[in-house]
Amino acid sequence: MQKVYTKIETIVGNVVTVRAEGVKNGDLALVGDSYATVIKLDKDIVSLQVFAGAQGVSTTDTVKFLGRPMMVSFSDHLLGRVFTGSGVPRDNGPALTDNMIPIGGPSVNPAKRIVPKKMIRTGIPMIDMFNTLVESQKLPIFSVSGEPYNQLLARIALQAEVDVIILGGMGLKYDDYLSFRDALEKGGAMSHTVMFVHTAADPIVECSLVPDMSLAVAEQFALEGKKVLVLLTDMTNFADAQKEMAITMEQVPSNRGYPGDLYSCLASRYEKAVDFEGSGSITILGVTTMPGDDVTHPVPDNTGYITEGQYYLKNGHIEPFGSLSRLKQNVNDATRSDHRALMDGMIRLYSSYKESLEKKSMGFLMSEWDEKLIKYGELFESKLMDLSVNIPLEDALDLGWEILAECFEPNETGLKTSLLNERWPKEIG
C-alpha cells in the first residue's frame, strides 16, 4: 500500500524531509511530480533526495512512498538504447516498463564464482600483450583530466570481443556523451550496447545511480550466458556525488571531506565483477581521474585496495610501468608459447631505454648500446604503445620480435636461446 503525506517539514538544497513510518532506506517516492529516493532515516524523520532538484517544491506538496527501491527494466530491448542515470530514455525512444528489476543488490557469493581464466581481446597491444584483460576482472584506468581516457574506452567498446557492452557515464560533458554515441554508432557496436549517461547538467543524485543501473542490467545479461563488459567513467565523479550527498545529510566527513564509507561505496560496485560457472561473466573497467595527478587522493587510493591492478594512462598512452593486470598470469601462458617471455624481455629493455634517455638528456656520452636502446624505445613507443595501433595479439607478438631484431643481436635481448631459435625473424637475421 502506497502511503501519502501532505506536509514537508524542511527543504534544504535538493533534500526534503517528512515525518513518515514504515519507510526503508533506498525506497522510491514521488515528491509532487518528481521522483526522489530515501537517503536518511532518523526515527520518523525521513530525508529524500529529489532527482530533479527541489526548486519549485513547496512544504504543502504531497509525498507518496512507492514501497520499493529504484528499479530498471531488463530485456533485449535495452540493446542500442541510451538512458539517463534514473533510467529515463535519453534517445527519444519509448520508455521500457516490462520486467522491472531492483538495482543496487548484493554482489555474488564468492563460493559461486569461478577462477578467472579467459582473455578478453581488445586489439590494443599495451593491453592484450603486456597487461591482458581477463574475464570477470575489475580494473581502474588511473588518469588525469585532459588525457584521452574516454576515447580509450570508446576504442575498447568497439573492439573488445564480448557479447554486451554496458557504458555508464557520470558527470560527462555533453560533447563527450555525443562522442561516445557517435563512435559506437559509426563503429557498429551500438547494436550490442546499453548506455546509462549522467551529464554534468543532470541532477547529482542520478550520478550516484549510474553504476547500480549499469551493473544490475549487466548481471541479468550475464545470467543469460552473455559475456558483459561494463565501462564506467568517471568513478571520481561518482565519489564526488556521494560526497555532496553526505554533506547534505550532515554526515561527519572523513579524508578530504569524503564520506567515511567511501571504500564500501566503491567496493560494493567493483565487487559485482564475476564469472558465473556455466553461464556468463561481468568485467569492469572504470576510469578514475586523479585530481592533481595524486595517486594518494582518497578515490584512487581506496580503489587500489579493491581492484586487481590498474592501467595508468599518461601522455596519451598506457604506461608500461605502474600498469598491472594481476590476473594476466592466469591467461598469457595459454595464448602463445612466447607471450610471457617476450613481454618480460621487452619491458626490461624499455626500462634500460628510459635510463639511456635520461643519460642523453643530461649530456652524457652515448655508447653504441645506448644508441641501440634509444632506437628500440622509439620503435616500441610508436609501433606498440601508441593508442592508435589496432592489431590482434598474435600480430603484436610478431611485431615485438621484428622490433627486437631491428635493434639488437639475438644474444643482446636476454631471452632464452631455445626461444630465439624458434621465434627470431629469419629474414632480418
Side-chain angles (χ1 to χ4, degrees):
M1 179 179 174
Q2 295 179 348
K3 299 180 180 180
V4 180
Y5 298 85
T6 56
K7 182 184 178 184
I8 293 175
E9 299 289 328
T10 61
I11 303 173
V12 180
N14 296 326
V15 176
V16 303
T17 59
V18 64
R19 290 186 180 275
E21 295 180 351
V23 180
K24 297 178 182 177
N25 204 24
D27 274 1
L28 206 58
L30 275 172
V31 178
D33 295 325
S34 300
Y35 280 105
T37 185
V38 176
I39 59 174
K40 183 180 179 182
L41 296 172
D42 184 6
K43 297 180 181 177
D44 64 339
I45 297 294
V46 180
S47 299
L48 302 108
Q49 179 97 21
V50 184
F51 288 7
Q55 188 173 2
V57 176
S58 72
T59 54
T60 57
D61 281 348
T62 59
V63 178
K64 182 190 294 184
F65 291 96
L66 305 183
R68 60 174 176 83
M70 189 71 185
M71 303 182 85
V72 62
S73 172
F74 172 75
S75 68
D76 286 342
H77 297 302
L78 285 171
L79 298 173
R81 298 294 305 276
V82 185
F83 301 91
T84 66
S86 56
V88 177
R90 191 183 282 277
D91 55 5
N92 298 320
L96 301 178
T97 57
D98 58 320
N99 192 28
M100 301 296 286
I101 58 172
I103 69 170
S107 56
V108 177
N109 186 334
K112 298 294 184 182
R113 307 178 184 207
I114 60 176
V115 177
K117 55 182 180 297
K118 301 172 190 171
M119 172 185 178
I120 294 180
R121 293 171 177 261
T122 66
I124 300 172
M126 291 308 296
I127 294 178
D128 292 356
M129 184 173 171
F130 295 99
N131 275 296
T132 313
L133 183 62
V134 183
E135 260 189 65
S136 80
Q137 195 166 16
K138 47 187 181 290
L139 275 178
I141 300 173
F142 288 155
S143 189
V144 295
S145 297
E147 291 288 345
Y149 45 82
N150 286 333
Q151 292 89 321
L152 174 61
L153 281 193
R155 279 273 311 279
I156 293 171
L158 288 171
Q159 298 170 192
E161 294 183 2
V162 294
D163 300 317
V164 178
I165 296 285
I166 311 287
L167 178 63
M170 292 157 278
L172 289 182
K173 295 177 183 176
Y174 202 75
D175 287 349
D176 288 335
Y177 153 58
L178 293 178
S179 296
F180 269 123
R181 194 187 67 185
D182 292 347
L184 292 171
E185 287 176 350
K186 290 176 182 176
M190 199 65 196
S191 61
H192 63 271
T193 299
V194 185
M195 294 177 66
F196 292 96
V197 176
H198 166 268
T199 68
D202 294 333
I204 193 72
V205 68
E206 291 188 9
C207 181
S208 66
L209 294 174
V210 167
D212 292 335
M213 285 276 184
S214 303
L215 292 163
V217 170
E219 189 169 72
Q220 294 302 309
F221 276 120
L223 289 170
E224 290 189 350
K226 305 288 188 183
K227 187 192 298 185
V228 186
L229 177 59
V230 180
L231 305 174
L232 301 173
T233 177
D234 165 6
M235 290 302 286
T236 301
N237 289 337
F238 166 77
D240 287 343
Q242 297 290 334
K243 176 181 178 179
E244 186 170 328
M245 290 167 62
I247 291 171
T248 304
M249 290 187 289
E250 298 180 349
Q251 289 184 2
V252 177
S254 183
N255 191 4
R256 303 198 200 184
Y258 286 92
D261 65 346
L262 176 62
Y263 179 93
S264 298
C265 287
L266 295 170
S268 62
R269 276 80 185 181
Y270 279 114
E271 289 298 337
K272 290 295 184 77
V274 63
D275 196 346
F276 293 106
E277 187 170 6
S279 193
S281 63
I282 302 172
T283 309
I284 301 174
L285 271 180
V287 169
T288 299
T289 51
M290 303 182 293
D293 200 13
D294 179 13
V295 75
T296 66
H297 183 275
V299 181
D301 186 39
N302 280 280
T303 301
Y305 287 103
I306 301 163
T307 53
E308 295 146 346
Q310 65 281 320
Y311 295 143
Y312 278 98
L313 183 65
K314 290 186 178 181
N315 302 317
H317 58 245
I318 297 172
E319 279 287 320
F321 311 121
S323 294
L324 173 64
S325 167
R326 291 197 180 98
L327 299 184
K328 65 183 177 182
Q329 306 292 353
N330 291 10
V331 299
N332 62 15
D333 58 347
T335 49
R336 207 169 84 173
S337 60
D338 60 329
H339 185 171
R340 189 175 293 179
L342 183 62
M343 169 188 71
D344 292 342
M346 292 194 75
I347 292 298
R348 188 166 55 247
L349 288 167
Y350 186 75
S351 176
S352 299
Y353 152 73
K354 285 291 190 180
E355 293 174 3
S356 295
L357 206 61
E358 187 174 353
K359 286 168 60 179
K360 185 177 181 181
S361 68
M362 296 173 67
F364 285 94
L365 184 65
M366 293 288 98
S367 65
E368 183 182 349
W369 176 243
D370 288 322
E371 298 293 349
K372 286 185 175 184
L373 287 170
I374 288 174
K375 179 182 178 182
Y376 164 77
E378 291 171 350
L379 287 173
F380 183 91
E381 289 178 346
S382 63
K383 293 189 175 185
L384 288 176
M385 284 179 65
D386 195 306
L387 287 180
S388 65
V389 178
N390 176 26
I391 52 177
L393 170 64
E394 289 74 18
D395 292 349
L397 292 168
D398 291 341
L399 180 57
W401 283 111
E402 291 171 13
I403 292 171
L404 289 177
E406 190 171 339
C407 302
F408 305 109
E409 295 298 323
N411 61 345
E412 294 175 326
T413 61
L415 298 172
K416 288 184 178 179
T417 302
S418 58
L419 191 61
L420 292 168
N421 291 337
E422 179 187 355
R423 295 289 181 179
W424 194 259
K426 299 297 187 292
E427 66 275 10
I428 300 178

